[in-house]
Amino acid sequence: MGISERKEREKEQRKNDIIDAAEKIFFKKGLNNSTMDEVAKEAELSKGTLYLYFKSKEEIYFEIKLRAINILNRMFKESISEYKTGFENCFEIGKTYVAFLNNYSNYFKVMVYFESTDCKICDFKDKCENFFKEDNPLNSFIQIINQGMADGSIRNDIPANVLAQSLWAQTNGILQYISTKQKIIEFTGVQAKDIINSQFEIIKKGIKNEN
Amino acid sequence: MGISERKEREKEQRKNDIIDAAEKIFFKKGLNNSTMDEVAKEAELSKGTLYLYFKSKEEIYFEIKLRAINILNRMFKESISEYKTGFENCFEIGKTYVAFLNNYSNYFKVMVYFESTDCKICDFKDKCENFFKEDNPLNSFIQIINQGMADGSIRNDIPANVLAQSLWAQTNGILQYISTKQKIIEFTGVQAKDIINSQFEIIKKGIKNEN
DNA sequence: ACTAAAATATGACCAAGAGTCATATTATGC
DNA sequence: GCATAATATGACTCTTGGTCATATTTTAGT
């Protein structure tokens, strides 16, 4: 028994090592400009071995996305406080998401990638599609909106599920814009943080309970 | 003289024919699953000829994005009315953007692609980066926000440039979410249109002038 | 300690497909 | 009609994701 457990651990460790190596390469050169040979070299393994642990290049990239989501979710959970209202926690989460973009922009880019690319043959689609049933940032956020509706700090004429997804999607949009449209932002002579603050301003007015 | 003009026209026409063919193929199978040989066959040309008119596969895809943006911009301009307030026009544009997603979802996907993918060697980067100086949907939208601040229907404590980009990015986020996260939306038991309406609700409260 | 079987690792190899280029065809202008 | 320029072709190259027969290492039974 002890042996098969150890094997399992080692296998997990090996997978992690490969993802570590892939991260280094992909973050430096971008997914499209990185080759599996480079990843193999970085991981000090042969290319064939990579395919013993992962089905495809894209699946490794997906594993990086999972890391990203876990980091973000952990940050979310650390940022909320039971002593604050749902309304306040909501903006703590917002600020935290912005911090995530600033501190982990590479991870953010990976997340964005999977929002918009047609995966070739997504054999790991199940992983993709079942993910939302689990503990993830969006679910953490929905809970906060529920809290805010329960404590009366957030308007409750829109279902929590709907409001949460709407805010979530909006915020994703803002962060994606900030991270990909620096040139435009610069050209229009404004600051990224102003755009973010502006969104917070709008949402503050937009979701506060007025009763 | 007449001849070189005609040649120019024919060249333009040929380019368009190629983009037409590429659209058919790319829309049906997605960019990654389409080959240049397929595009060439659809265009009734040899592959080499394609490269006489475009630098790369991705550049053709980019041309499709330009079409998308032009369609969207035309729709925006048709949807606004000088007899409406900026506030009202702002939501006309929002509704139009939603209609664009519904009627031209393929074009929308192409637009999203370029928001999030590291182009391999963007030889057409100039085109990319200079685009925002021209007549485009975002600029049309900025004008409407300006109108609304001038006519007093939209709050003016945030610079128009900032507010416009913020709203623009948010809305992109919502539409992207709707178009890529159907599964999640379904799972949470809500309707896409509810999420959209919710965003409009939030923004209405968020940007109206309260003086 | 020895050995057969299982698990893991290797890298030469394959296939697909983007992009090129010498050659061929067609159009232009004299 | 002919020389030159413009346009078109498709066989070819080269990169790279993914495979597989072979080799090495580990495990477990005797």
Side-chain angles (χ1 to χ4, degrees), chain A residues 3 28 33 48 71 84 94 96 99 103 109 117 124 127 137 142 154 158 169 172-174:
Chain A
I3 281 179
K28 184 157 52 178
N33 298 309
I71 292 171
K84 288 183 172 159
T96 300
N103 296 326
K109 275 182 198 140
T117 310
F124 50 95
K127 265 192 210 165
I142 292 176
I154 294 177
I158 298 172
N172 277 323
I174 294 280

Side-chain angles (χ1 to χ4, degrees), chain B residues 14 16 25 52 54 132 144 149 154 160 164-165 176 179 184:
Chain B
R14 180 55 53 100
N16 268 316
I25 304 295
L52 248 43
F54 300 98
F132 60 83
I144 291 303
M149 289 188 179
I154 294 177
Q165 285 180 81
Q176 196 174 322
S179 92
I184 296 182

Side-chain angles (χ1 to χ4, degrees), chain B residues 15-158:
Chain B
K15 279 183 115 176
N16 268 316
D17 292 344
I18 293 172
I19 301 171
D20 285 341
E23 255 184 39
K24 274 199 194 120
I25 304 295
F26 293 162
F27 284 176
K28 183 157 53 181
K29 314 178 69 178
L31 179 65
N32 285 334
N33 298 309
S34 304
T35 71
M36 287 299 267
D37 285 300
E38 289 173 301
V39 173
K41 197 177 171 191
E42 178 72 35
E44 292 174 304
L45 289 168
S46 72
K47 186 161 66 160
T49 307
L50 301 187
Y51 286 91
L52 248 43
Y53 292 90
F54 300 98
K55 284 195 196 66
S56 66
K57 186 183 180 186
E58 214 171 26
E59 190 183 11
I60 300 182
Y61 208 56
F62 186 76
E63 290 293 329
I64 298 176
K65 180 197 160 171
L66 292 184
R67 284 188 177 182
I69 288 179
N70 285 331
I71 292 171
L72 181 60
N73 198 32
R74 184 172 43 68
M75 285 173 70
F76 275 6
K77 294 194 164 178
E78 283 168 10
S79 72
I80 61 186
S81 155
E82 49 180 322
Y83 304 112
K84 288 185 174 158
T85 63
F87 184 88
E88 287 163 339
N89 275 331
C90 175
F91 289 93
E92 289 304 323
I93 283 188
K95 275 190 267 177
T96 301
Y97 204 174
V98 173
F100 176 78
L101 173 63
N102 290 327
N103 296 326
Y104 300 97
S105 59
N106 284 325
Y107 279 124
F108 184 80
K109 274 182 198 139
V110 179
M111 286 169 56
V112 168
Y113 172 86
F114 283 99
E115 307 299 302
S116 56
T117 309
D118 53 312
C119 311
K120 250 189 147 160
I121 302 143
C122 252
D123 276 336
F124 50 92
K125 225 170 187 168
D126 295 342
K127 265 191 211 165
C128 282
E129 292 177 354
N130 287 318
F131 185 75
F132 60 83
K133 294 174 185 165
E134 299 160 25
D135 184 26
N136 66 39
L138 175 57
N139 284 337
S140 300
F141 185 61
I142 292 176
Q143 279 186 12
I144 291 303
I145 297 298
N146 272 314
Q147 186 211 344
M149 289 188 179
D151 69 24
S153 60
I154 294 177
R155 67 192 280 185
N156 56 12
D157 57 335
I158 297 172

Side-chain angles (χ1 to χ4, degrees), chain B residues 150-186:
Chain B
D151 69 24
S153 60
I154 294 177
R155 67 192 280 185
N156 56 12
D157 57 335
I158 297 172
N161 260 340
V162 173
L163 183 59
Q165 285 180 81
S166 179
L167 294 175
W168 177 251
Q170 285 176 40
T171 309
N172 277 323
I174 294 279
L175 296 190
Q176 196 174 322
Y177 188 80
I178 300 287
S179 92
T180 60
K181 293 291 166 53
Q182 281 118 334
K183 280 271 163 64
I184 296 182
I185 294 172
E186 203 178 301

Side-chain angles (χ1 to χ4, degrees), chain A residues 76 79-81 84 87-97:
Chain A
F76 275 6
S79 71
I80 61 185
S81 155
K84 288 183 172 159
F87 184 87
E88 288 163 338
N89 275 331
C90 175
F91 289 93
E92 289 303 323
I93 284 188
K95 277 190 266 177
T96 300
Y97 204 174

Side-chain angles (χ1 to χ4, degrees), chain A residues 73-116:
Chain A
N73 198 31
R74 184 171 43 68
M75 285 174 70
F76 275 6
K77 294 196 163 174
E78 282 168 10
S79 71
I80 61 185
S81 155
E82 50 179 321
Y83 303 111
K84 288 183 172 159
T85 63
F87 184 87
E88 288 163 338
N89 275 331
C90 175
F91 289 93
E92 289 303 323
I93 284 188
K95 277 190 266 177
T96 300
Y97 204 174
V98 173
F100 176 78
L101 173 63
N102 290 327
N103 296 326
Y104 301 97
S105 59
N106 284 324
Y107 279 125
F108 184 79
K109 275 182 198 140
V110 179
M111 285 169 58
V112 168
Y113 173 86
F114 283 100
E115 306 300 302
S116 55

